[in-house]
């Protein structure tokens, strides 16, 4: 059963490999077998997967997961055609077109470096280790459905080893670091304007049914001294119902009223 073009794509293949603990085979499945969509598995035989190193139990597990994912997204697409969320449009970026330079920072599952892509300055998040693939995919999936003047924009992902995410660069860095290094530069009216922009960006997220979950000055970035952008969507979650309660993962019965 094929999934729709807007749902099928390499990001779905990555999700399936992550769910079946087969992320280490991504490059061989992509490059040797030329599989870049879930629907491409219809043309893959067991001996093809054995040839690149998968065991028979792993092959059965992978094919079963592919079928489940196809059924899941086919059903989801039919139930959400009337929703306003844009289709997945992440750009696949070749590593050869990306030139990295200085390190900008580090996080719990990777480092961020400055780079040049297609003649423009970008920020590049580089995945550290294969255990965070699902988090990486979750953040990319969250970002490529969002587009707003006060949110960091995703340019695309690089399917290399390690995986990389290419985003808009905020030249002045995080608001936290600037407040600490240049406290005298920020006047009250500037902070008020930042608060207004943050509120507008968060209002957009609320309209898209997203909870950011990690809004902090370290995740607010300065494009200029006049404009901020909200970034770091690694913890973002989409609310699954129309109610204004968010259930935490740690305590399933615990619900928290949230404004966005």
């Amino acid at each position: 059963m094929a999934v729709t073009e807007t749902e099928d794509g390499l990001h779905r293949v990555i999700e399936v490999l992550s769910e079946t603990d087969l992320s280490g085979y991504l490059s061989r499945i992509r490059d040797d077998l030329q599989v870049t969509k879930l629907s491409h598995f219809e043309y893959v035989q067991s001996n093809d997967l054995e040839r690149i190193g998968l065991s028979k139990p792993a092959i059965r597990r992978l094919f079963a997961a592919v079928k489940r994912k196809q059924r899941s997204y086919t059903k989801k697409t039919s139930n959400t055609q009337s929703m306003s969320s844009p289709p997945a449009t992440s750009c696949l970026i070749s590593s050869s077109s990306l030139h990295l330079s200085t390190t900008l920072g580090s996080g719990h599952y990777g480092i961020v470096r400055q780079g040049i892509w297609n003649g423009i300055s970008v920020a590049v998040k580089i995945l550290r280790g294969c255990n965070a693939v699902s988090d990486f995919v979750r953040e990319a999936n969250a970002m490529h459905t969002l587009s707003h003047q006060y949110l960091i924009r995703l340019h695309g992902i690089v399917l290399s080893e390690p995986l990389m995410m290419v985003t808009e660069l905020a030249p002045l860095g995080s608001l936290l670091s600037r407040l600490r290094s240049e406290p005298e530069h920020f006047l009250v009216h500037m902070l008020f304007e930042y608060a207004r922009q943050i509120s507008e960006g968060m209002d957009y997220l609320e309209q898209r049914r997203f909870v950011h979950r990690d809004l902090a000055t370290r995740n607010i970035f300065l494009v200029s001294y006049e404009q901020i952008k909200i970034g770091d969507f690694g913890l973002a979650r989409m609310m699954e119902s129309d109610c204004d309660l968010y259930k935490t993962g740690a305590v399933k019965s615990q619900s928290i009223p949230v404004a966005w």
Side-chain angles (χ1 to χ4, degrees):
M1 179 184 298
V3 293
T4 66
E5 186 66 26
T6 56
E7 290 290 355
D8 200 1
L10 190 54
H11 59 293
R12 300 303 181 203
V13 176
I14 295 174
E15 286 179 349
V16 167
L17 294 178
S18 176
E19 292 169 3
T20 54
D21 297 324
L22 296 172
S23 298
Y25 292 94
L26 172 61
S27 60
R28 300 210 62 182
I29 288 175
R30 181 194 67 224
D31 300 334
D32 295 359
L33 303 183
Q34 297 296 299
V35 172
T36 57
K37 296 182 178 181
L38 289 181
S39 55
H40 290 171
F41 279 102
E42 297 174 9
Y43 309 100
V44 175
Q45 303 296 319
S46 296
N47 59 346
D48 296 323
L49 295 170
E50 288 181 5
R51 178 166 50 85
I52 64 172
L54 271 73
S55 65
K56 290 182 178 179
I59 293 170
R60 289 194 295 269
R61 189 167 74 250
L62 176 59
F63 280 145
V66 168
K67 291 180 179 178
R68 285 197 304 272
K69 186 70 72 175
Q70 287 178 320
R71 287 195 296 266
S72 170
Y73 283 105
T74 299
K75 182 178 179 180
K76 177 182 176 182
T77 300
S78 64
N79 290 336
T80 59
Q81 286 180 340
S82 62
M83 293 181 63
S84 59
S85 297
T89 56
S90 288
C91 171
L92 295 181
I93 295 175
S94 169
S95 58
S96 61
S97 67
L98 189 63
H99 303 282
L100 302 179
S101 56
T102 58
T103 298
L104 300 176
S106 61
H108 77 285
Y109 67 82
I111 64 172
V112 180
R113 296 181 63 182
Q114 187 168 340
I116 299 293
W117 173 67
N118 284 351
I120 62 173
S121 295
V122 294
V124 183
K125 178 173 286 188
I126 304 173
L127 184 67
R128 177 188 297 140
C130 62
N131 292 333
V133 170
S134 60
D135 290 337
F136 180 92
V137 171
R138 184 183 300 117
E139 180 169 4
N141 284 344
M143 291 187 69
H144 74 64
T145 64
L146 303 171
S147 178
H148 191 272
Q149 62 178 328
Y150 299 133
L151 299 182
I152 290 290
R153 181 173 67 254
L154 173 68
H155 292 305
I157 57 177
V158 182
L159 296 175
S160 58
E161 293 183 2
L163 293 170
M164 293 185 282
M165 180 187 301
V166 182
T167 71
E168 176 182 12
L169 175 69
L172 299 183
S174 75
L175 178 58
L176 176 62
S177 62
R178 286 286 169 172
L179 287 172
R180 287 175 171 172
S181 62
E182 305 174 3
E184 70 286 349
H185 187 90
F186 297 92
L187 305 178
V188 172
H189 74 88
M190 297 173 64
L191 299 178
F192 182 85
E193 175 59 19
Y194 295 160
R196 186 197 66 78
Q197 294 178 18
I198 293 169
S199 296
E200 189 171 325
M202 295 300 285
D203 178 66
Y204 171 82
L205 289 178
E206 190 277 334
Q207 293 177 34
R208 311 295 285 190
R209 306 299 297 166
F210 268 92
V211 181
H212 188 287
R213 299 209 313 163
D214 196 23
L215 183 65
T217 51
R218 65 179 178 277
N219 294 329
I220 303 298
F221 299 92
L222 288 167
V223 177
S224 67
Y225 284 110
E226 290 74 39
Q227 182 181 358
I228 60 86
K229 294 213 173 189
I230 303 168
D232 203 335
F233 293 85
L235 292 177
R237 292 291 185 275
M238 188 169 187
M239 296 177 69
E240 298 178 353
S241 67
D242 293 330
C243 68
D244 288 327
L245 291 178
Y246 171 72
K247 293 185 178 180
T248 66
V251 182
K252 294 184 178 179
S253 61
Q254 183 177 357
S255 297
I256 304 172
V258 292
W260 36 59

